[in-house]
Amino acid sequence: MAAMEDMMPLMARATEQTAGVVRAVRQEQLGSPTPCAKFDVKDLISHLEWVAEMFESIARGGPRTEQGPYAGDFPERAERTLAAWSRPEAWEGTSEGMGLPMTVMARMYLVDMVVHGWDLARATGQEYEPDPEAVLEAVNFTNQMVETGRQRGAFGPPVAVPDDAPQFDRLLGVIGRDPAWTPLG
């Protein structure tokens, strides 16, 4: 289970970091804009709650779930997601709910945690320094999947980023985020 052994520490660190960002969001920030044009802070946290719930279901061999209303329990959902993925059988075969190999699903989850953690931190004025190994994994995966991601609406049009920019900034640009985004525009 090399994929599990390689990926679980990255998934756990990215999830814990994003959960820490979520916990630090103040009530008055819930209506603030985020780098995801279609989400304010509350919508983005709700999206993260759904991501956690869906990837837990997928890891347990269940269906793709529909997004419910904001619940304010992302850290708890994320713990259940990691518990589901910590089982070796979660890494076997193909997701019935998504039709993709489970190793691809795990990398999709990692990209969500790394990028949405930044989105939320940037929107709420928090420091965010993603794990370099998680960024490298996310970059390698995203470079392979970017066109499919755009077709499915997961990624936006690319944002030009200098070739010598930090690797994380290049990842943000590839998936359609402006690394220089601020809540003030």
Side-chain angles (χ1 to χ4, degrees), residues 30 32 44 73 87 103 105 108-109 123 125 127 131 143-144 156-157 159 164 167 178 181 183 185:
L30 291 177
S32 298
L44 181 55
D73 65 352
R87 302 161 33 259
T103 54
M105 298 308 302
M108 287 172 64
Y109 174 81
E127 291 295 314
D131 177 67
N143 285 339
Q144 295 170 15
V159 173
D164 62 350
Q167 194 162 36
D178 180 354
W181 186 93

Side-chain angles (χ1 to χ4, degrees), residues 5-175:
E5 291 164 11
D6 292 343
M7 287 292 297
M8 277 307 298
L10 303 180
M11 291 167 67
R13 287 193 299 263
T15 300
E16 289 159 10
Q17 186 175 26
T18 297
V21 173
V22 170
R23 284 188 194 99
V25 172
R26 299 185 314 274
Q27 189 72 29
E28 66 269 16
Q29 293 176 312
L30 291 177
S32 298
T34 73
C36 295
K38 61 185 176 186
F39 294 143
D40 65 14
V41 168
K42 184 177 179 180
D43 294 336
L44 181 55
I45 295 171
S46 181
H47 175 75
L48 282 166
E49 292 169 354
W50 170 65
V51 166
E53 182 180 297
M54 180 175 63
F55 280 89
E56 178 191 3
S57 176
I58 288 168
R60 296 192 184 285
R64 178 186 168 129
T65 59
E66 296 301 317
Q67 184 166 340
Y70 172 81
D73 65 352
F74 170 74
E76 294 78 15
R77 290 184 194 206
E79 284 179 25
R80 293 192 300 268
T81 305
L82 291 175
W85 281 95
S86 68
R87 302 161 33 259
E89 58 270 25
W91 294 82
E92 296 170 2
T94 299
S95 161
E96 288 189 31
M98 300 284 281
L100 294 167
M102 294 304 289
T103 54
V104 169
M105 298 308 302
R107 284 170 175 85
M108 287 172 64
Y109 174 81
L110 179 67
V111 171
D112 268 2
M113 288 301 110
V114 169
V115 172
H116 288 319
W118 176 83
D119 289 332
L120 197 57
R122 186 55 65 101
T124 57
Q126 298 182 54
E127 291 295 314
Y128 186 79
E129 191 62 46
D131 177 67
E133 290 179 57
V135 170
L136 180 61
E137 186 66 42
V139 165
N140 291 338
F141 174 74
T142 303
N143 285 339
Q144 295 170 15
M145 298 294 288
V146 70
E147 291 310 318
T148 302
R150 282 199 187 104
Q151 290 167 6
R152 294 184 177 192
F155 303 144
V159 173
V161 175
D163 291 340
D164 62 350
Q167 194 162 36
F168 185 60
D169 287 4
R170 293 195 313 264
L171 169 65
L172 293 172
V174 164
I175 64 169

